[in-house]
Amino acid sequence: DLKRAMEARDHGLRPDTASLVIDPDVEWFARWVSQVVAARQSDPMAYPISSDVETPDKAGGKDEGEITADDRSFQILRINVACHPDEGVTVPFVGPYIEELRRLHQSPGPVWQWNREYDHVRLVAAGVLQETDSSRVVDLMWLWHFLQSDLPRGLGFVSPFYSSHGPWKHLADQEPARYGAIDGLQTHRCGFGILSDLQKLGLYERAMRHTHTLHTAVLRPAQLVGVK
């Protein structure tokens, strides 16, 4: 944050190129989903999607790194998605949007989340993802923790390392839809940045083994047979 502030002081505040699509009509969203699904079908690994659920537990912009098992709401208010680091999209979790979200999430390719322990089970319960999709759901929060284990895990803390967007968590109460669209955008930008840093340091394979494989091949199957 301090580095960004000094850059703004010395060189002016850089404009951010991101566009936010907030609660578009269903026809627009269906066309957008069709384009993303077609791209993922042609090259699944080249087009990850970022996905983030908003629930009453997250009201007020609660730090993702502090959400625990005590946060229990399965009521999904809206879902924020991104497939490009310069665009964030958010839609309410109602009516025909749900089928489009299901089509998007079940298309081939990675699904990036920030704290999948919270989001994944809720998307499965809502039918947006299937349990068999677990191996495609990558938790960026724990990849960040592998990269920088001494730093906080909240998306708001991590984002200035990889994005020039600026703060947004303070919008959660007054502008929840705008806040949600930025959540998806920042998740996507952090995803590309974290994976790039891990690869540059030669840590990518180990990070995936000790976070993603641990979650999908060990911890999640243990939960499914009753281990808390």
Side-chain angles (χ1 to χ4, degrees):
D1 289 338
L2 289 172
K3 182 179 178 182
R4 296 284 183 191
M6 288 187 286
E7 288 174 352
R9 177 198 64 193
D10 296 338
H11 307 290
L13 187 63
R14 290 186 297 166
D16 194 280
T17 58
S19 64
L20 303 176
V21 182
I22 299 171
D23 295 346
D25 60 54
V26 173
E27 291 74 19
W28 184 96
F29 188 58
R31 292 194 299 271
W32 185 86
V33 169
S34 293
Q35 290 178 334
V36 176
V37 169
R40 283 164 65 83
Q41 288 173 337
S42 65
D43 192 348
M45 298 307 295
Y47 297 97
I49 59 169
S50 289
S51 172
D52 174 65
V53 305
E54 299 295 344
T55 69
D57 287 337
K58 292 185 175 183
K62 185 172 183 178
D63 191 313
E64 295 87 356
E66 296 178 359
I67 290 176
T68 69
D70 293 330
D71 297 287
R72 297 177 178 176
S73 177
F74 272 69
Q75 179 189 359
I76 298 177
L77 304 175
R78 63 176 52 252
I79 294 184
N80 319 310
V81 291
C83 73
H84 189 282
D86 281 337
E87 182 183 63
V89 181
T90 185
V91 294
F93 194 69
V94 295
Y97 289 105
I98 297 176
E99 181 55 39
E100 295 304 324
L101 287 163
R102 184 179 294 116
R103 189 161 65 96
L104 175 65
H105 284 73
Q106 294 185 17
S107 60
V111 177
W112 289 349
Q113 294 179 344
W114 200 272
N115 192 1
R116 66 160 270 162
E117 180 71 12
Y118 186 87
D119 286 23
H120 176 63
V121 295
R122 283 155 179 80
L123 289 176
V124 170
V128 175
L129 281 170
Q130 302 296 319
E131 191 58 54
T132 52
D133 294 314
S134 178
S135 62
R136 297 190 296 107
V137 181
V138 178
D139 194 333
L140 300 175
M141 184 181 78
W142 286 105
L143 287 175
W144 162 258
H145 184 67
F146 191 94
L147 180 66
Q148 296 283 0
S149 60
D150 59 334
L151 295 180
R153 298 192 303 269
L155 182 62
F157 177 87
V158 178
S159 291
F161 289 91
Y162 302 111
S163 173
S164 62
H165 185 277
W168 80 98
K169 290 292 185 178
H170 61 290
L171 301 173
D173 288 330
Q174 283 73 37
E175 300 182 72
R178 179 178 175 82
Y179 161 85
I182 301 172
D183 253 9
L185 169 75
Q186 297 289 65
T187 299
H188 215 57
R189 288 180 170 184
C190 286
F192 282 114
I194 291 166
L195 293 178
S196 176
D197 281 351
L198 288 169
Q199 289 166 346
K200 288 176 184 176
L201 294 170
L203 295 173
Y204 175 76
E205 290 184 359
R206 269 177 285 172
M208 290 296 286
R209 179 174 185 265
H210 287 281
T211 62
H212 182 64
T213 302
L214 177 66
H215 279 138
T216 58
V218 181
L219 300 181
R220 184 59 183 159
Q223 287 179 331
L224 293 173
V225 296
V227 180
K228 291 189 177 180

